[in-house]
Amino acid sequence: MTAKTSPSTYTRATAVAAAAAAVLALTGTTAQAAALSAAAPVSGTEGIVTVGHNQAQPLVSPDGTTAYVVVTGPGNAVQVKAVDTRSDAVTRQATLATAQLGQVAGLSPDGTRLYVANGQQLTVLDTAALAVVATTALPDQPRPAGWTPGALTGLTVSPDGSTAYVVQNGPVTYRQYGQGRVIAFSTAQKAFTGSVQVPTSFTGTAAFRPGGHDLYVGGDAGVFHVGTAGATPTLVGTVGGTAGALDYYPVFTPDGTRLFALASGSKGGQADVIDPAGDTVTRHLTLVGGFADLRAPQVSPDGTRLYVAKNDYTAGPSVLSVDTASGSAVAAETVSPDEDQLDGLAVGPDGHTLYVTGSIGSNGTLQIIAN
């Protein structure tokens, strides 16, 4: 494993610790010290954990103590593994249904529920026991007779935890494709409550604007703004300037002022910066020259870094670090994991632990890197 940590990364980490120490010095009480300690998220311990076979996706608990990995395991079954981030040990696991076309997952903001959509069903798991509490079939996708439902491409949970949204490609038949959709699932009712079509056949992932009801969905025909204030989502519009950019992977800064939309396919290596106040593109970024397989963009909790998983089949995979203010790559913070191929990426709540999933040989793996 080669992990490069820049002095600036060290400075940010030590600044947080120094601020905590200063508060303790001023207060001098055990209760306040305990409260501060409890509020500090846990950092992961570097290591590689074998979790299954392929298509591993990581999610990290709000306190940083647990990484949940959704992965295809033996018998082509979808499995969920809970990994203690301090010991790098798998502590719990659950086996779900046989893997179908597209597995997507999302974690509730409070970390108590994990949502896994596989094929045409959604499973809800209680994270404390990693036990299934509900399994619900997706409502049938509007389609002509003989067409098959589209693959699932994204799942995210609203900031208040009340609704999970599943993104699905359009239905398909031979050389023909229908419109994709976004489906709303009430986490209290454990039932789907409505859906909205988006004007594209091929969708991507979705990202909520923090603190609000605005959901942004990537796709090959633009980034789509979906309103979620009601039980049924509504299409607000398409972000101008993204219709031909192949911006499949959107991610927000924590303050909700900027949306980074990462391109894929022939536009791989590029990204757009979007101002959600007016749904306009304010900057176009070239992250990598030429074609590049980029995926799973993540923004650090302090909003200063954009991390992107890159598969380079000549030089090997890496995790790129980009300064969100300048849009420039931070070469000293680039990380080269041990995987042969990367499938997913998550940034820990401490802001500097990276959770990378991929494969080494025939094994699906979770690699924890202190960056």
Side-chain angles (χ1 to χ4, degrees):
M1 176 181 68
T2 304
K4 304 174 184 177
T5 305
S6 73
S8 60
T9 303
Y10 176 79
T11 300
R12 288 196 302 274
T14 52
V16 173
V23 172
L24 293 181
L26 289 172
T27 59
T29 69
T30 303
Q32 288 163 321
L36 238 163
S37 176
V42 169
S43 298
T45 301
E46 287 200 325
I48 298 176
V49 185
T50 299
V51 291
H53 292 329
N54 53 57
Q55 299 301 313
Q57 304 173 51
L59 303 102
V60 184
S61 63
D63 61 5
T65 61
T66 308
Y68 301 98
V69 182
V70 180
V71 64
T72 302
N76 201 35
V78 175
Q79 295 185 319
V80 182
K81 305 286 182 74
V83 178
D84 184 312
T85 61
R86 292 156 295 184
S87 66
D88 293 348
V90 175
T91 58
R92 304 180 300 285
Q93 73 174 44
T95 299
L96 309 182
T98 301
Q100 304 296 320
L101 185 60
Q103 297 92 46
V104 291
L107 192 64
S108 63
D110 63 4
T112 62
R113 291 291 185 268
L114 177 64
Y115 301 89
V116 180
N118 170 43
Q120 297 304 298
Q121 69 177 26
L122 175 68
T123 301
V124 184
L125 297 99
D126 170 62
T127 57
L130 210 60
V132 174
V133 296
T135 299
T136 306
L138 270 65
D140 195 18
Q141 189 169 27
R143 56 197 164 95
W147 290 45
T148 57
L152 307 181
T153 61
L155 192 159
T156 191
V157 184
S158 61
D160 64 4
S162 67
T163 312
Y165 293 88
V166 180
V167 185
Q168 185 176 23
N169 279 344
V172 60
T173 190
Y174 182 68
R175 292 187 177 180
Q176 297 182 68
Y177 307 93
Q179 284 190 316
R181 65 174 176 171
V182 179
I183 324 166
F185 177 83
S186 168
T187 60
Q189 300 174 37
K190 297 184 177 59
F192 288 97
T193 58
S195 66
V196 63
Q197 288 187 318
V198 290
T200 186
S201 300
F202 300 101
T203 56
T205 58
F208 257 103
R209 188 177 185 185
H213 297 285
D214 299 292
L215 179 68
Y216 288 77
V217 180
D220 71 340
V223 174
F224 307 105
H225 180 176
V226 174
T228 67
T232 300
T234 58
L235 181 65
V236 176
T238 303
V239 177
T242 63
L246 301 181
D247 288 337
Y248 278 95
Y249 306 112
V251 62
F252 266 101
T253 54
D255 62 5
T257 61
R258 285 168 294 168
L259 175 69
F260 290 86
L262 184 67
S264 182
S266 61
K267 301 292 181 69
Q270 303 179 60
D272 285 318
V273 185
I274 296 168
D275 177 5
D279 280 355
T280 55
V281 174
T282 60
R283 187 187 306 172
H284 180 76
L285 304 179
T286 298
L287 304 180
V288 178
F291 172 80
D293 177 8
L294 304 184
R295 59 183 69 182
Q298 301 283 308
V299 175
S300 62
D302 65 2
T304 64
R305 292 293 183 267
L306 169 68
Y307 294 102
V308 178
K310 174 189 176 185
N311 281 311
D312 186 321
Y313 300 102
T314 300
S318 58
V319 177
L320 307 180
S321 175
V322 178
D323 185 300
T324 56
S326 67
S328 301
V330 185
E333 295 177 12
T334 291
V335 173
S336 298
D338 291 319
E339 278 79 4
D340 301 320
Q341 175 177 313
L342 302 185
D343 294 322
L345 168 67
V347 179
D350 65 348
H352 60 82
T353 303
L354 303 180
Y355 297 85
V356 182
T357 52
S359 57
I360 299 177
S362 60
N363 292 322
T365 56
L366 167 70
Q367 183 167 0
I368 302 177
I369 302 172
N371 188 33

